[in-house]
């Protein structure tokens, strides 16, 4: 992998196949920082885990999706986001689901289904989410 001294993380842009709305999650006070920020489901890569595996596993853990509804990875290739200030690389994958039912983990205290355009205007929005959503 590139930038071995950087932290690596991955997440999913979850899109409802019928409405084309995307899912944003709001960070809860249970998290160590950035409480109230809207973001995509995702997390840090574990040792020997591929970005796609992390993205799908974290999305399932944080939303319940993937357990109740099938998450289908699309063929869209998204550029990864490099944050040199925080020494972090964030990989993103677009997945679709039908009839989603979200069950949040304690990492988040809210969620919304919103258009891509609407999501890009949300404050505060994670800069990783903004970078990835701007590619749609």
């Amino acid at each position: 992998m590139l930038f071995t001294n950087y932290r690596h993380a991955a997440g999913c842009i979850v899109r409802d196949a019928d409405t084309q709305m995307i899912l944003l999650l709001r960070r809860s006070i249970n998290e160590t920082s950035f409480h109230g920020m809207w973001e995509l489901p995702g997390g840090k890569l574990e040792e020997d885990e591929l970005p796609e595996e992390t993205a799908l596993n974290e999305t399932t853990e944080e939303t319940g999706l993937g357990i109740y509804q099938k998450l289908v990875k699309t063929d869209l290739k998204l550029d990864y986001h490099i944050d040199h200030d925080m020494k972090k690389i964030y990989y993103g994958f677009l997945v679709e689901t039908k009839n989603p039912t979200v069950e949040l983990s304690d990492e988040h205290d809210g969620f919304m289904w919103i258009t891509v355009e609407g999501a890009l205007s949300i404050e505060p929005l994670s800069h990783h989410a903004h970078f990835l959503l701007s590619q749609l």
Side-chain angles (χ1 to χ4, degrees), residues 24-117:
L24 290 180
L25 307 179
R26 188 177 59 216
R27 289 176 66 89
S28 77
I29 59 171
N30 297 322
E31 289 299 283
T32 56
S33 61
F34 303 110
H35 310 128
M37 180 170 36
W38 292 94
E39 64 183 1
L40 302 171
K44 295 180 285 223
L45 271 68
E46 301 296 331
E47 189 173 326
D48 297 326
E49 194 173 42
L50 297 173
E52 183 177 338
E53 294 172 318
T54 296
L56 292 170
N57 290 340
E58 291 289 333
T59 298
T60 299
E61 289 173 16
E62 294 177 4
T63 68
L65 298 170
I67 296 171
Y68 305 108
Q69 293 90 16
K70 186 175 182 178
L71 294 173
V72 178
K73 186 175 166 287
T74 69
D75 292 331
L76 180 65
K77 300 289 184 208
L78 298 171
D79 291 333
Y80 50 84
H81 183 234
I82 301 174
D83 182 339
H84 294 293
D85 292 335
M86 300 204 54
K87 292 195 173 196
K88 186 175 183 181
I89 299 176
Y90 197 94
Y91 304 87
F93 301 90
L94 178 64
V95 296
E96 290 194 330
T97 189
K98 286 184 168 260
N99 304 313
T101 301
V102 175
E103 288 187 17
L104 294 176
S105 71
D106 64 350
E107 296 175 41
H108 298 94
D109 61 11
F111 71 93
M112 70 169 86
W113 292 96
I114 190 169
T115 64
V116 171
E117 297 78 19

